[in-house]
Amino acid sequence: MLSLKRRLSSQLRSSCIFNLSNMVDRVGVFKAVNQAVSWPLQLRVLAAFSASSASVCREPGAESLIGTGVGKMIHSLFLINCSGDIFLEKHWKSVVSQSVCDYFFEAQEKAADVENVPPVISTPHHYLISIYRDKLFFVSVIQTEVPPLFVIEFLHRVADTFQDYFGECSEAAIKDNVVIVYELLEEMLDNGFPLATESNILKELIKPPTILRSVVNSITGSSNVGDTLPTGQLSNIPWRRAGVKYTNNEAYFDVVEEIDAIIDKSGSTVFAEIQGVIDACIKLSGMPDLSLSFMNPRLLDDVSFHPCIRFKRWESERVLSFIPPDGNFRLISYRVSSQNLVAIPVYVKHSISFKENSSCGRFDITIGPKQNMGKTIEGITVTVHMPKVVLNMNLTSTQGSYTFDPVTKVLTWDVGKITPQKLPSLKGLVNLQSGAPKPEENPSLNIQFKIQQLAISGLKVNRLDMYGEKYKPFKGVKYVTKAGKFQVRT
Amino acid sequence: MSSNSFSYNEQSGGGEAAELGQEATSTISPSGAFGLFSSDLKKNEDLKQMLESNKDSAKLDAMKRIVGMIAKGKNASELFPAVVKNVASKNIEIKKLVYVYLVRYAEEQQDLALLSISTFQRALKDPNQLIRASALRVLSSIRVPIIVPIMMLAIKEASADLSPYVRKNAAHAIQKLYSLDPEQKEMLIEVIEKLLKDKSTLVAGSVVMAFEEVCPDRIDLIHKNYRKLCNLLVDVEEWGQVVIIHMLTRYARTQFVSPWKEDDELEDKEKNFYESDDDQKEKTDKRKKPYTMDPDHRLLIRNTKPLLQSRNAAVVMAVAQLYWHISPKSEAGIISKSLVRLLRSNREVQYIVLQNIATMSIQRKGMFEPYLKSFYVRSTDPTMIKTLKLEILTNLANEANISTLLREFQTYVKSQDKQFAAATIQTIGRCATNILEVTDTCLNGLVCLLSNRDEIVVAESVVVIKKLLQMQPAQHGEIIKHMAKLLDSITVPVARASILWLIGENCERVPKIAPDVLRKMAKSFTSEDDLVKLQILNLGAKLYLTNSKQTKLLTQYILNLGKYDQNYDIRDRTRFIRQLIVPNEKSGALSKYAKKIFLAQKPAPLLESPFKDRDHFQLGTLSHTLNIKATGYLELSNWPEVAPDPSVRNVEVIELAKEWTPAGKAKQENSAKKFYSESEEEEDSSDSSSDSESESGSESGEQGQSGEEGDSSEDSSEDSSSEQDSESGRDSGRENRRTAKRNSKEKEKKTKQGRTPVAKDVSLLDLDDFNPVSTPVALPAPALSPSLMADLEGLNLSTSSSVISVSTPIFVPTKTHVLLHRMSGKGLAAHYFFPRQPCVFGDKMVSIQITLNNTTDRKIENIHIGEKKLPIGMKMHVFNPIDSLEPEGSITVSMGIDFCDSTQTASFQLCTKDDCFSVNIQPPVGELLLPVAMSEKDFKKEQGMLTGMNETSAIIIAAPQNFTPSVIFQKVVNVANVGAVPSGQDNIHRFAAKTVHSGSLMLVTVELKEGSTAQLIINTEKTVIGSVLLRELKPVLSQG
């Protein structure tokens, strides 16, 4: 019996023509298929095949016959690098020719700057919705009405997943892992509708590449395709994978607050607000049920939650109660109510001037601590987009180093820490293109800084309790304040 | 770095295939080795060889290269036969990649897809839900018209599958089949109708998606599911939420009357919405038609609110548009905060959100005014974001904030981004026309800009000033003179044209300058842009009419130039003007009116927002973003004048129907509060049921709800059981499959039968209102008089087969169990026992009495139950907190736990003011039952139906003295809360009970045999509980 089957399958190998009338062959193939796979394997096979046959038997022009309402939110995806090469394409239905991207290139050309390419473009037969992430364009092809944010949000989720898997979302990383990328895209979208977008589920389906695993794989011949089934998708808590085990159970929370501000010429605050996030890194075994409470939850004005958080608890008790996903995730992001005055930790003294009818100007900035709550301000960087007429800058800094890129006209001053005794300053001459009129406006200064162990809003975590598991986890909270979009107009 | 080395390893991993591996690398590398067609062919030849080899590593390498080719969009179709042979490969990864290949090229080889169908058909019957689901996913993706009937059948079957995951896939398959064969529409709608009734959150999003694709106009299908969808919404996955919210928005616009009509007058009374109905009535009495919002309308608005807090921008936007389109205007304000939050997101999200805010801010300025500063522009924003922000700032400008805004605009005008600076100038122009107080200020500011160094800025200013001056030309001679001077320096055609037009229009006010300008223009006419030439002609004509003495010759010169211009527009215009203004014999009556024609009073242009006309598109849609109707856009209908019958949304649970309507409001308020998570839900429902014991109306609504919940938790328990199956290894796979199959069969039966009593329970409290025929008894025995019970029993015999009437427990064991020992409880001791009474907190709960003792010498305060950790589906009703317990005092409290008919442990925390103690209650299986009174005849009948797998039995050997009727009786009831069934035979003892949660019958028979043996038989569809009970009874009975 067995030998018969083997013969059948070898017969199959030798014949390149699949003929419908050749029943024997057909039976042979599928016996062989069925023999080959035990059930989890079979499942993976089926899942993979489903997408494969999506495009089977699609006659050219069938699209137009179907008319409106084709059940397809996202039809195809193209990845395009900065120089305009399409380096990856993926179709979830029939193939859409690359030429559709010409409309995109046209728009890109018109926009001049990558940042200004409109995210939604209409072409005669399709709509293109694109995002720009890490110097790559993700261009999706849409055929019918769909909420554009739906697609944009999904594309960002795809990019996040790449980032998560490969450490960076770059052309090189994607090209190197093209196989995994294809497998991921296959799982994330079914028939144009998002299927598995939770990182916990995806990682069960397709294991992320690591050096160790690739070594092991090459020795044992195993692969990076998971042979277990995604359990999370079926449970009430799809974001958490089942059977998590750690020897060291840890839960870390990073409270990161960013100050968005616009400071005007005179140093007064035009606009300032605090945007915060709590990022968590949870490595706890089993199904822990956590609740995180704050000393002063009223500070949080507008909060958005990870789906794991029980909204009701928050509404009634202002406690974050949740069964966490495994690993890193963003628990909440919040905005601190605008009634609160925002403390501005640094001030900048600046005098930038361009002389009329001469090809030089003066540049002088000094940075000092303002309301820093007694903490050290570190990681200070000042970025200035100088006017186009600036040719070069001859500056001296009392602290840190500066670079000026004459092509992009960007001045970057890496200051480091502020010591109140000696305030860092950067001053010198600016060389202008001779003959050109002096710039109308002084450039604005974009400032980056970091203050460790401080949440500038005053938000404080009160306690973290864990229920549902017996072990004692190691818990930690870290606070950081950073500059967000912190701009000083000069 | 790591990924790099990884892929390298993979590619050259095959040892002897190293050479080939290297080639693979070069193929994928961007430089590409596919330079020549011939070499291309040769490479493919290599690939073929690799695919034919016996080594998996070589095959894998080949497949990886091929996938790389596909990813780059290169043609690899000729490899089809070679690749497809590997379909049967044992290596999963190869297999996966083969399918990736097929995705791309299967269209050309349809036969192959047909080959697979039998495999998938077989898999559709697999006991594992995941395999069934993926088989369906595959089958429905094969776009071969021949198999449409097979697909239809599979979808139908899957839509009735026990697993919600399979049903979800069925919903996806509907769309695929519909696009393959639209003629199946009617049949598919039937399936959609069925799936819409589904209570699982997994299915909801997908089926609504299918609904939107296949039959978005069949709004009638939604009625019955409307409330359910509203209630499930929070728990649906985020992508599904977006689809459902958009659909419900359309639904609401067709089913409810507008909440806006009164709103406009009612602005000051907005608070009324939250006040009681009476209040509202009083105040609106004066009005002819008081508006009260349909409770269902309110339900939708309320249940979507928490989603504004979603991390997913698409969900937030969907809720925002829902509020915008269907909520009372006074309530839409809450969306602005969330939308402003999205502005922190990446530029694409910002772009879409800002567009929508722009549209909103035209109609309702007030909504976004508090967030004015959030729209301030940063120099680092992309231009498209800047212009959108500017647009919004303009819309928000009013007398109060204009001075701040103008100061802000001044900064923008100086921006290095000239396109943005130009947009700012336009904005200033619009502010100037909209807010009359600042018109002059703006005009002055703009005039200053005329001396700007940047041409684009100046040009834009000219254009805007032109528009402004047109509104109030009288007093601005100076500005016009200033602008006339600019003609020498400005080169931008639009600006030049604008100045010329302005001078022409006001030529009587600047009589000296105008002819001079014309003279200069005549000189440069030939080199001007077409736009400017036309305006020169206009200027000439106007001057000719007003000041022909000075300009006659000049004009004629220009007209001559124009006559021979290359542009036919200009030639046409020249001819037209000449005929009109230059008097000759041929010129008709018109030339008399030439002056009136040229120098008529022209209406000032309206400076309008480009977003003005977008409001007819539903917000958040592609059509709105593009401002054109996208394919497949569904128009949002206007509110109906009169609301269609709201009763269509009442849910058809036969007995419940009566109660839904009166209880509608109360019920919705309750249900709106829940649905955030399992554990809270249960608190809620039990709370409210205890609260509302007096109101039977709302009570029954509540229970209807809990009935639903029960169902869904059953679903999830099935899931977990099959998951467990799936995790056990391959060796035991076959066995597992069999048990899984059995389990699922049992469950199917269980749910079928279990559901009936659940629904019926509900109506019990309103017994009088109901026709008892459809009301078998299942609940609080004490509430029923025996005679009534007998009546019902009699009636039921004819209608339904199952007679389950709860009787009072025959025996209540006094055995207590330790919940918390005083040593571990720091002096607080707790014991519990099972009073075997139907639980007052819920009909699915087991009642438990807890006795608390204070063994310390001080008061223990605030004893309550803290965090609960219950297995999925289990619920618990806690006792009310005890304020204080005196030293040596003791108190007994009762609580209820729904163990879901399992012996799983309920863990929770018993807390005092200072401490929390984790405690567990694990119920003995016998306490999961409630005794049932039934006749011997019924017993036999029921037993006859519960044979086969539902029967477990054991032989007991014991001393004869243990087999006296009273001993057996005592022993059995001690272990389990069962009721005795009167028996006609001495040697057979029968006991009957039902499980507390699902109400499944549990029939225990002890049949005495010859000698000292007896047979113990248990019949129940809850086989697990049955066998546990058997295990517990066996030693007890055989003991001495």
Side-chain angles (χ1 to χ4, degrees), chain B residues 138-426:
Chain B
V138 176
L139 189 67
S140 56
S141 302
I142 300 174
R143 299 180 54 82
V144 184
I146 312 167
I147 64 153
V148 165
I150 301 175
M151 271 164 79
M152 196 63 226
L153 200 70
I155 291 175
K156 274 188 179 165
E157 258 171 43
S159 66
D161 200 285
L162 276 176
S163 151
Y165 185 66
V166 176
R167 297 201 298 273
K168 180 190 178 75
N169 276 276
H172 282 268
I174 291 172
Q175 304 167 45
K176 299 181 204 166
L177 180 53
Y178 178 62
S179 61
L180 176 64
D181 183 4
E183 305 218 323
Q184 302 292 319
K185 188 170 176 179
E186 287 313 311
M187 299 228 303
L188 288 173
I189 291 177
E190 278 171 37
V191 183
I192 290 176
E193 195 174 357
K194 190 155 105 197
L195 284 172
L196 276 171
K197 296 201 178 95
D198 206 295
K199 293 187 181 77
S200 164
T201 50
L202 262 181
V203 184
S206 302
V207 70
V208 171
M209 186 70 212
F211 170 85
E212 291 279 74
E213 291 301 333
V214 179
C215 51
D217 46 336
R218 288 289 304 275
I219 216 92
D220 55 298
L221 298 180
I222 303 299
H223 293 320
K224 291 264 175 287
N225 304 296
Y226 173 82
R227 289 174 188 158
K228 186 199 66 197
L229 283 173
C230 287
N231 287 331
L232 286 182
L233 197 55
V234 178
D235 293 324
V236 174
E237 36 85 41
E238 39 197 356
W239 311 110
Q241 284 172 347
V242 180
V243 177
I244 296 177
I245 293 171
H246 275 270
M247 189 275 288
L248 289 178
T249 310
R250 274 193 307 121
Y251 179 87
R253 282 291 279 258
T254 60
Q255 298 301 315
F256 306 124
V257 288
S258 167
W260 298 343
K261 283 175 195 151
E262 308 233 343
D263 239 39
D264 300 335
E265 322 153 46
L266 221 134
E267 217 70 279
D268 52 330
K269 291 188 179 173
E270 42 194 58
K271 288 164 215 140
N272 286 344
F273 283 103
Y274 297 105
E275 283 167 28
S276 71
D277 278 4
D278 288 0
D279 243 39
Q280 173 100 17
K281 235 173 225 159
E282 257 173 41
K283 290 189 181 168
T284 48
D285 260 350
K286 298 160 216 154
R287 237 169 296 257
K288 287 167 252 159
K289 258 204 303 184
Y291 167 78
T292 39
M293 188 184 270
D294 188 310
D296 288 325
H297 191 173
R298 169 59 64 207
L299 175 74
L300 176 60
I301 292 174
R302 197 183 351 234
N303 280 6
T304 44
K305 191 180 164 196
L307 296 180
L308 281 173
Q309 237 98 46
S310 172
R311 64 167 170 175
N312 189 318
V315 176
V316 178
M317 190 64 232
V319 179
Q321 66 84 26
L322 178 128
Y323 264 76
W324 177 259
H325 290 295
I326 73 160
S327 84
K329 289 190 169 148
S330 54
E331 288 169 51
I334 61 163
I335 61 174
S336 31
K337 194 194 268 184
S338 306
L339 288 178
V340 170
R341 185 186 70 228
L342 296 184
L343 297 183
R344 267 288 283 191
S345 197
N346 40 61
R347 86 183 167 107
E348 295 86 9
V349 173
Q350 279 186 46
Y351 176 73
I352 306 287
V353 172
L354 285 170
Q355 273 191 332
N356 284 290
I357 293 179
T359 303
M360 291 190 215
S361 60
I362 292 174
Q363 284 182 41
R364 302 183 205 164
K365 284 186 179 191
M367 262 174 75
F368 290 97
E369 231 185 275
Y371 303 98
L372 186 74
K373 288 189 172 177
S374 303
F375 301 107
Y376 278 9
V377 173
R378 293 190 163 77
S379 59
T380 40
D381 285 333
T383 310
M384 63 176 183
I385 301 293
K386 283 180 186 164
T387 37
L388 278 169
K389 281 185 172 173
L390 208 53
E391 178 61 41
I392 294 166
L393 288 175
T394 322
N395 292 338
L396 295 180
N398 57 22
E399 286 85 355
N401 58 26
I402 186 68
S403 53
T404 336
L405 274 181
L406 282 179
R407 219 175 10 252
E408 187 69 15
F409 288 159
Q410 273 170 20
T411 324
Y412 301 166
V413 166
K414 286 186 225 147
S415 165
Q416 290 171 36
D417 182 347
K418 290 305 162 198
Q419 203 188 333
F420 169 60
T424 310
I425 292 163
Q426 280 181 4

Side-chain angles (χ1 to χ4, degrees), chain A residues 13 18 26 30 34 38-39 41 43-46 48-50 52-58 66 69-71 88-89 95 98 115-117 119-120 127 130-132 144-150 152-153 156-157 175-179 182 186-187 190-191 193-194 197-198 209 214 223-224 231 234 236 258 260 270-271 275 301-307 310-313 335 356 387 437-438 440-441 444 446 467-468 485 487 489, chain B residues 3-4 6-7 30 70-73 81 84-85 88 92-93 95-97 99-100 102-104 106-107 110 113 115-116 119-120 122 129-131 134 137-138 141-144 165 176 179 209 213 238-239 306 309-313 317 337 340-341 344 346-348 351-352 373 376-380 382-384 408 414 416 452-453 620-623 625-626 630-631 633 673 676-678 680 719 723 726-727 730 737 867 869 909:
Chain A
R13 279 214 183 96
F18 290 90
R26 213 190 309 168
F30 289 97
N34 291 335
S38 71
W39 72 265
L41 242 139
L43 176 68
R44 313 238 11 101
V45 169
L46 291 178
F49 198 89
S50 73
S52 79
S53 36
S55 54
V56 172
C57 292
R58 199 170 161 71
I66 294 152
V70 179
L88 189 113
E89 61 179 66
V95 176
Q98 282 197 357
E115 290 267 281
N116 276 322
V117 182
V120 183
Y127 305 99
S130 63
I131 63 161
Y132 179 67
T144 57
E145 171 64 51
V146 62
L149 273 184
F150 186 101
I152 288 171
E153 191 71 11
H156 276 289
R157 210 61 77 80
K175 275 183 173 169
D176 285 347
N177 296 291
V178 73
V179 175
Y182 249 65
E186 196 84 67
E187 296 295 341
D190 174 28
N191 196 33
F193 194 75
T197 48
E198 285 295 336
S214 62
S223 69
N224 62 321
T231 46
L234 296 172
N236 285 354
E258 294 191 353
D260 284 1
V270 176
F271 165 79
Q275 303 273 1
D301 186 30
D302 184 30
V303 193
S304 76
F305 297 122
H306 188 275
R310 298 183 180 108
F311 182 72
K312 181 77 189 308
R313 267 302 278 291
R335 194 171 57 199
E356 195 71 55
K438 78 159 189 151
E440 195 76 32
E441 181 204 36
S444 50
N446 295 299
Y467 306 99
K485 296 173 178 171
Q487 208 160 78
R489 293 174 177 168
Chain B
S3 54
N4 251 326
F6 161 71
S7 79
I70 295 173
K72 288 201 85 180
V84 149
K85 267 183 262 175
I92 326 165
E93 195 160 16
K95 219 181 267 289
K96 274 219 88 170
L97 298 181
Y99 293 135
V100 167
L102 291 177
V103 172
R104 185 65 175 74
E107 265 172 283
Q110 303 194 357
L115 297 179
S116 55
T119 321
F120 304 134
R122 202 171 317 134
Q129 49 174 338
L130 287 159
I131 292 186
S134 1
R137 190 175 159 192
V138 176
S141 302
I142 300 174
R143 299 180 54 82
V144 184
Y165 185 66
K176 299 181 204 166
S179 61
M209 186 70 212
E213 291 301 333
E238 39 197 356
W239 311 110
Q309 237 98 46
S310 172
R311 64 167 170 175
N312 189 318
M317 190 64 232
K337 194 194 268 184
V340 170
R341 185 186 70 228
R344 267 288 283 191
N346 40 61
R347 86 183 167 107
E348 295 86 9
Y351 176 73
I352 306 287
K373 288 189 172 177
Y376 278 9
V377 173
R378 293 190 163 77
S379 59
T380 40
T383 310
M384 63 176 183
E408 187 69 15
K414 286 186 225 147
Q416 290 171 36
N452 194 291
R453 214 175 272 109
T621 59
L622 185 62
S623 305
T625 299
L626 294 169
T631 328
Y633 173 73
K673 281 186 221 146
Y676 298 121
S677 72
E678 287 284 0
E680 275 142 24
D719 295 347
E723 269 161 41
S726 62
E727 265 150 21
R730 285 181 204 178
R737 219 171 296 171
E867 193 75 18
K869 179 61 196 168
Q909 286 193 320

Side-chain angles (χ1 to χ4, degrees), chain A residues 253-256 275-280 292 294 297 300 302-309 314 319-322 329-335 459 461, chain B residues 309 311 341:
Chain A
F253 294 89
D254 288 358
V255 180
V256 183
Q275 303 273 1
V277 295
I278 300 184
D279 284 331
L292 184 75
F294 300 100
L300 307 182
D302 184 30
V303 193
S304 76
F305 297 122
H306 188 275
C308 70
I309 291 171
W314 173 256
V319 167
L320 296 174
S321 157
F322 56 98
F329 67 101
R330 176 151 297 173
L331 186 64
I332 64 167
S333 45
Y334 59 88
R335 194 171 57 199
L459 187 76
V461 172
Chain B
Q309 237 98 46
R311 64 167 170 175
R341 185 186 70 228

Side-chain angles (χ1 to χ4, degrees), chain B residues 867-880:
Chain B
E867 193 75 18
K868 290 170 285 187
K869 179 61 196 168
L870 303 174
I872 293 160
M874 268 170 71
K875 295 176 184 176
M876 181 165 167
H877 185 279
V878 303
F879 57 83
N880 290 331

Side-chain angles (χ1 to χ4, degrees), chain B residues 162 714 717-718 721-722 742-752:
Chain B
L162 276 176
E714 269 165 35
S717 68
E718 275 159 43
S721 75
S722 41
R742 205 173 61 208
N743 277 343
S744 63
K745 254 190 201 159
E746 284 158 21
K747 270 161 195 155
E748 195 175 318
K749 269 190 194 159
K750 175 207 74 191
T751 38
K752 265 184 207 151

